[in-house]
């Protein structure tokens, strides 16, 4: 059994990503496995690189078509988790910025766009064909996936610039995320350039991760990805846990949307806390009281109308107090 240069690169990936997977899992336990946070996609990317490296090493002794195809697909679809990781980190910064510059819907749309590229990359990777003279044909789906990743990365860089311009409105504990994304973006861009050249110039075999020049692959793809993963892990371990604070804020917003503000001539003795509960843990702004609901069962339409009235009165009360 002979270990080639390309096999050595696979061993390097396995040696780096196997211990990184432990830290990545700890990060997800610490910050949550929500896909919107970005850390989940770091697990996906790490697993893809581990599986791809294992398939490459297995192909040394068992060079079957299925094993080689699995290694190729794992190598070709790594850009999607990386872009989704950077999007998730920027979405977190946006959430903790005063007067959020971007709506949450923008990040969800870009994430969906990147997931489409992820699927197209899988399909296109399985349909790569190599001729007898050594040239290879890239499936059009793989090319479309590369264009999608390029568009998403450009959007990430644009969002990064806007958030950096409003850094004074970002909470101090979250500003290091902008630094991490700024460090990672050039590495991801170099990795994307490698894929663009490889997918759109089929006559140049040097920029193919499976059949091309190994040194170029190592310097323009492997090392860049390792740098991104290590940077994100280092920053993630130093961040505060904000998941519970977000859940608490969302719960308070839901409760406030159901606040019923009494008229001035109302008898406040008939009022209690939320839903008529005497729970002292239910927190509301000082001076805001909620009427005790009747125990009579109501239908869905009556409940919807009542909730709308509550919301209108709460907004009216907030405007009056602000004035």
């Amino acid at each position: 059994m002979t270990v080639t240069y390309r096999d050595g690169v696979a061993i390097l990936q396995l040696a780096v990503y196997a211990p990184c997977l432990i830290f990545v899992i700890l990060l997800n336990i610490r910050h949550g496995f929500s896909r919107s946070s970005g850390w989940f996609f770091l697990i996906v990317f790490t697993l893809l690189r581990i599986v791809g490296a294992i398939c490459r090493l297995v192909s040394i002794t068992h060079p079957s078509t299925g094993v080689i195809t699995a290694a190729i697909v794992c190598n070709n679809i790594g850009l999607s988790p990386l872009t989704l990781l950077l999007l998730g980190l920027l979405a977190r910064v946006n959430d903790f910025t005063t007067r959020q510059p971007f709506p949450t819907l923008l990040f969800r749309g870009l994430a969906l766009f990147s997931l489409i590229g992820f699927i197209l990359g899988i399909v296109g990777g399985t349909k790569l064909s190599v001729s007898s003279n050594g040239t290879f044909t890239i499936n059009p789906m793989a090319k479309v996936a590369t264009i999608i990743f390029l568009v998403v990365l450009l959007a990430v860089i644009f969002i990064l610039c806007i958030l950096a311009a409003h850094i004074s409105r970002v909470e101090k504990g979250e500003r290091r995320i902008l630094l991490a994304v700024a460090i990672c973006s050039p590495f991801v861009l170099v990795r994307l350039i490698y894929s663009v050249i490889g997918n759109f110039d089929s006559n140049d075999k040097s920029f193919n991760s499976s059949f091309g020049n190994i040194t170029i692959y190592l310097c323009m793809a492997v090392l860049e990805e390792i740098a991104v993963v290590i940077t994100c892990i280092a920053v993630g371990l130093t961040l505060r846990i904000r998941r519970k604070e977000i859940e608490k804020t969302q719960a308070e917003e839901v409760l406030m949307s159901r606040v019923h503000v009494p008229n001035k001539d109302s008898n406040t003795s008939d009022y209690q806390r939320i839903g008529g509960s005497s729970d002292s843990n239910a927190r509301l702004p000082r001076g805001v009281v909620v009427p005790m609901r009747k125990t009579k069962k109501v239908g869905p339409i009556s409940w919807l109308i009542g909730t709308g009235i509550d919301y209108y009165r709460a907004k009216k009360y907030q405007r009056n107090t602000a004035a």
Side-chain angles (χ1 to χ4, degrees):
M1 181 181 67
T2 303
V3 178
T4 63
Y5 188 4
R6 190 177 298 278
D7 298 331
V9 173
I11 294 174
L12 172 64
Q13 290 178 310
L14 194 59
V16 172
Y17 289 116
C20 283
L21 181 61
I22 300 175
F23 291 100
V24 171
I25 293 175
L26 291 177
L27 275 178
N28 279 267
I29 295 175
R30 177 181 173 85
H31 297 288
F33 285 85
S34 173
R35 286 174 291 180
S36 60
S37 66
W39 304 115
F40 171 80
F41 297 104
L42 194 55
I43 285 185
V44 175
F45 176 79
T46 306
L47 288 175
L48 283 174
R49 288 297 171 260
I50 292 175
V51 172
I54 292 175
C55 290
R56 177 64 197 180
L57 296 177
V58 170
S59 66
I60 298 175
T61 55
H62 299 83
S64 63
T65 304
V67 173
I68 296 175
T69 301
I72 293 174
V73 171
C74 289
N75 283 331
N76 291 342
I77 61 177
L79 280 171
S80 179
L82 286 183
T83 54
L84 288 170
L85 169 63
L86 298 183
L87 269 177
L89 294 178
L90 291 178
R92 170 176 169 137
V93 176
N94 187 70
D95 289 338
F96 293 101
T97 301
T98 307
R99 298 194 301 272
Q100 297 179 358
F102 300 99
T104 305
L105 187 62
L106 173 65
F107 294 96
R108 293 179 179 176
L110 290 173
L112 178 60
F113 199 43
S114 184
L115 285 174
I116 294 174
F118 181 80
I119 297 173
L120 293 177
I122 294 176
V123 177
T126 57
K127 295 183 178 181
L128 177 69
S129 60
V130 182
S131 62
S132 57
N133 59 0
T135 60
F136 52 89
T137 302
I138 303 296
N139 187 273
M141 290 187 180
K143 296 182 179 181
V144 174
T146 304
I147 295 175
I148 290 176
F149 297 146
L150 178 60
V151 172
V152 174
L153 181 60
L154 293 177
V156 166
I157 295 174
F158 172 76
I159 294 173
L160 172 64
C161 294
I162 299 299
L163 290 176
H166 298 84
I167 193 170
S168 60
R169 289 157 46 183
V170 179
E171 291 189 17
K172 292 184 178 180
E174 306 299 315
R175 295 177 184 177
R176 71 194 71 177
I177 297 180
L178 293 178
L179 177 61
V181 176
I183 294 173
C184 294
S185 296
F187 291 117
V188 179
L189 180 60
V190 173
R191 174 65 178 89
L192 184 57
I193 292 174
Y194 178 85
S195 294
V196 169
I197 297 175
N199 288 338
F200 288 90
D201 189 4
S202 58
N203 295 322
D204 187 357
K205 296 189 298 181
S206 301
F207 290 88
N208 183 273
S209 59
S210 302
F211 310 103
N213 186 286
I214 306 173
T215 302
I216 296 178
Y217 170 61
L218 175 64
C219 296
M220 292 189 66
V222 177
L223 296 181
E224 277 70 16
E225 293 172 350
I226 292 175
V228 171
V229 171
I230 293 177
T231 301
C232 291
I233 290 176
V235 172
L237 292 175
T238 62
L239 290 175
R240 293 175 56 189
I241 302 175
R242 310 304 298 263
R243 177 166 44 94
K244 294 182 179 180
E245 295 181 19
I246 295 176
E247 292 174 354
K248 180 180 178 180
T249 302
Q250 291 175 344
E252 290 177 352
E253 290 177 353
V254 172
L255 293 176
M256 284 301 299
S257 67
R258 300 193 62 184
V259 171
H260 185 106
V261 181
N263 297 327
K264 293 182 179 179
D265 56 349
S266 299
N267 184 7
T268 56
S269 62
D270 294 334
Y271 291 86
Q272 291 183 354
R273 292 183 178 269
I274 299 171
S277 173
S278 60
D279 184 8
S280 60
N281 293 326
R283 297 181 180 179
L284 287 174
R286 183 176 298 177
V288 179
V289 288
V290 181
M292 182 174 59
R293 299 286 182 181
K294 295 182 179 181
T295 57
K296 182 177 68 174
K297 294 183 178 180
V298 295
I301 298 178
S302 300
W303 176 85
L304 183 61
I305 295 174
T307 303
I309 294 174
D310 291 345
Y311 180 81
Y312 169 78
R313 290 182 176 178
K315 289 294 183 181
K316 183 178 179 181
Y317 175 81
Q318 293 174 358
R319 288 195 299 268
N320 292 338
T321 55

